[in-house]
Amino acid sequence: MISRVLRREFLDFFEKKGHKVVPSSSLLPLDTSVLLTTAGMQQFTPYLSNTKNVLEDFGTRHLTSIQKCFRTLDIEEVGDDTHHTFFEMLGNWSIGLDQDKGYFKQGAIEIALDFLGNILGLEKNKFWFTIFKGEAGIPKDKESLEIWQEQGISQERIIEFGIKDNFWGPTADTGPCGPCSEIHYDRGPQYGCGNQDCGPNCERCKRFVELWNLVFMEYNKKKDGCFSKLPQSNVDTGIGFERLLAVLENKPSAYETDLFLPVIQKIEVLSAKNYNSQKPNFRIISDHIRGAVFLAAEGIFPSNTNQGYILRRILRRAMRIGKLINLPRNFLIPLSQETIKIYQEFYPEHKTKQADILSIIQKEETKFEKTLEQGLKEFEKLACKGEIDGSMAFHLYNTYGFPLEMTEEMAVEKKLKVDKKSFEQAFIKHQEISRIGATKKFGGTGAEQIKDEEQKIAVIKLHTATHLLYYALREALKDNVRQMGCDINSERLRFDFSHSVKLTQDEIKKVEQIVNQRIKQDLEVEKQEMECGEAIKSGALAFFREKYPERVFVYTIRDKKNKDWVSKEICAGPHVKRTSELGCFKIIKEQSSSAGIRRIKAILI
Ligand code: GLY
């Protein structure tokens, strides 16, 4: 079954069962405490926890979707049969059910067996099942056990696991979660480790593929790590699209299906090498290019921060691996074009944004091409000494653009280790030196010195104004506005943010009003030093989060009267002490920066 047919079968099946098909949400999630969307349920979180009403917004409590997801956690595993950075999740939801209105465990289990067995024709005798055994004060899921048995499944095919394997969520530190019951598929002994105790969740082999995860979402994880009951029960399910397709096609992995084959074949032609002789390298390259195409399609640009850093990291990693298999220069573009061809039917925006996507990738390739070769030589020199300490890794990062993770990966290949802590120290020291350098620049005498001082103060003011602008945009547009870039000089600030449509005159006015109102209130700007993790938990926005050292500064603009804060951002500063120092804020331009990204230029008068 090819991917197009599987997509259609899945959505048609659930539509016929009364589910509303909801389009995939963006890879940039609404919940800004996580960088990228990692699960199908993320866009439904407010409905699952009943802070939004599912009937009001969708007209039904039964939903289905094919969701774009991206995970970097297992990036080192990419190259094997089952791991990917970008992937798609098929899912169905029954939200906020009560006895008559929605299905729960019984319904979810029956529907899943119907789809896998009757629609896809998978053999029932190859299925294994898991249930939650009860742990951490949450009881064993006896109900699911009984339902599976009622469906004719024998006891020895139903295995119990604890929190680690059979409890799902939340995707952030807090939020809806619950015990789950899974359907695994036995691919046969040829995929196995041969051990007596081999079975679902075997840590040695991939014989048993987890196909479908049925989450019975009844809990909410709180800040203190404890669970409370959600106000309602929900069903949340997830099937990894790639692995289901591989099983249906009876292929070892998705790389041998139509989702990847044209790209793999193109790599064979360009490198004059055979896929089977270099499987992991071919797979990493094709996975990372697919991931890059999807990130670029969201309007993300390679950078040293946040999502941009992830994009940079996978593109640069693909380029390094490309060298290992002799891919010629500029290979990213033909492979990206193949990837777009594969996905443009289901994601038409890939076609319409093709030029933007390719230009983003091309620019990064050109940029890194210049330093990659030299950096690799430098790395070899350093590795010969038998050590890559943090300052050397920083040198590779700062001079040759090697992401730390890439240096670490190359070090592992040489059985060496990189000390992350001393990398961070070198990073901070460098920032410190740059700051002193910048301060020194403001030296000089007389009028020149005064002018420089004035410019310095103007930059500081605009810096604080930028934090207020970010806050105001989120307030005024009620959209998941994300900072995508920022540039400040003594004349003006320039702020790029994710938003798909042009701002109206009213919206621009509203943003100005919100900023000016906060300026007038003479709010205090407070600076605190804390652990990066603690800062994120406290709700601080972190444009530079991925590359932040362990300890960071958080700037909070406080509204003491209301015992609340208006803006909280991780930021190196400096900032003004009180907002009244800013004067009057004015937007002078609002324009498109690139696909899905708007740009505002503003001044203080
Ligand atoms: N939310 C269920 C899953 O992603 O497996």
Side-chain angles (χ1 to χ4, degrees), residues 39 41 89 168 213 215 236-238:
M41 48 66 73
M89 279 306 253
W168 200 89
N213 185 16
V215 187
D236 154 43
T237 85

Side-chain angles (χ1 to χ4, degrees), residues 212-231:
W212 208 332
N213 185 16
L214 314 177
V215 187
F216 305 122
M217 228 165 222
E218 294 185 276
Y219 294 92
N220 179 46
K221 190 170 177 190
K222 297 184 295 180
K223 271 192 185 137
D224 62 6
C226 297
F227 300 100
S228 59
K229 271 275 196 181
L230 279 177

Side-chain angles (χ1 to χ4, degrees), residues 26 44 67 135 190 199 237 294 393 445 462 489 499 576 585:
S26 160
F44 304 123
Q67 173 67 46
E135 214 172 43
Q190 70 275 26
T237 85
F294 273 89
T445 52
L462 283 164
N489 62 33
H499 191 62
V576 299
F585 173 84

Side-chain angles (χ1 to χ4, degrees), residues 168-425:
W168 200 89
T171 49
D173 289 337
T174 57
C177 51
C180 50
S181 195
E182 298 164 342
I183 305 175
H184 292 240
Y185 185 80
D186 181 3
R187 309 202 70 190
Q190 70 275 26
Y191 287 100
C193 57
N195 274 285
Q196 285 261 304
D197 59 350
C198 182
N201 298 331
C202 176
E203 281 174 3
R204 290 173 299 259
C205 72
K206 301 274 166 59
R207 171 172 172 173
F208 293 85
V209 186
E210 180 204 315
L211 276 191
W212 208 332
N213 185 16
L214 314 177
V215 187
F216 305 122
M217 228 165 222
E218 294 185 276
Y219 294 92
N220 179 46
K221 190 170 177 190
K222 297 184 295 180
K223 271 192 185 137
D224 62 6
C226 297
F227 300 100
S228 59
K229 271 275 196 181
L230 279 177
Q232 63 187 27
S233 303
N234 312 286
V235 169
D236 154 43
T237 85
I239 315 180
F241 181 53
E242 283 77 4
R243 44 176 87 166
L244 178 60
L245 190 66
V247 164
L248 291 169
E249 287 278 276
N250 198 19
K251 294 282 165 37
S253 78
Y255 295 102
E256 292 84 20
T257 70
D258 66 306
L259 289 182
F260 282 104
L261 261 186
V263 177
I264 300 273
Q265 283 158 354
K266 189 89 188 176
I267 302 177
E268 283 190 319
V269 172
L270 292 174
S271 67
K273 289 207 163 28
N274 188 288
Y275 170 52
N276 287 319
S277 68
Q278 295 277 347
K279 251 188 202 172
N281 289 338
F282 272 63
R283 289 174 169 189
I284 293 170
I285 293 167
S286 49
D287 171 274
H288 287 11
I289 285 175
R290 181 175 73 157
V293 164
F294 273 89
L295 292 179
E298 300 275 356
I300 296 168
F301 289 86
S303 73
N304 286 337
T305 58
N306 288 352
Q307 295 91 348
Y309 182 70
I310 295 172
L311 177 54
R312 168 158 288 166
R313 189 176 154 198
I314 56 174
L315 282 173
R316 294 190 173 192
R317 188 168 189 234
M319 286 177 70
R320 179 180 89 83
I321 306 287
K323 278 224 173 296
L324 299 179
I325 60 168
N326 281 341
L327 276 170
R329 288 173 79 134
N330 297 323
F331 71 86
L332 293 182
I333 292 304
L335 298 183
S336 303
Q337 282 165 328
E338 285 301 330
T339 305
I340 290 171
K341 267 193 231 158
I342 295 169
Y343 282 93
Q344 65 189 13
E345 185 184 333
F346 197 67
Y347 296 102
E349 66 272 23
H350 284 203
K351 200 177 165 96
T352 50
K353 292 182 185 170
Q354 168 145 236
D356 285 339
I357 296 170
L358 296 179
S359 138
I360 289 171
I361 292 173
Q362 176 69 71
K363 278 193 188 130
E364 182 66 3
E365 185 165 30
T366 309
K367 194 169 186 174
F368 193 47
E369 184 65 50
K370 291 192 190 117
T371 55
L372 173 60
E373 189 95 27
Q374 256 181 309
L376 288 172
K377 280 189 198 139
E378 184 72 7
F379 173 84
E380 289 301 327
K381 255 201 274 168
L382 297 173
C384 272
K385 295 182 187 156
E387 185 192 26
I388 306 280
D389 68 20
S391 62
M392 293 170 182
F394 181 72
H395 169 59
L396 289 168
Y397 167 81
N398 200 35
T399 312
Y400 302 102
F402 279 31
L404 171 65
E405 296 79 3
M406 191 165 113
T407 303
E408 285 182 314
E409 180 180 301
M410 295 193 304
V412 169
E413 286 164 15
K414 303 241 177 232
K415 303 205 173 2
L416 299 173
K417 247 183 114 175
V418 178
D419 178 9
K420 259 192 181 154
K421 237 192 157 68
S422 65
F423 173 87
E424 275 169 11
Q425 280 160 358

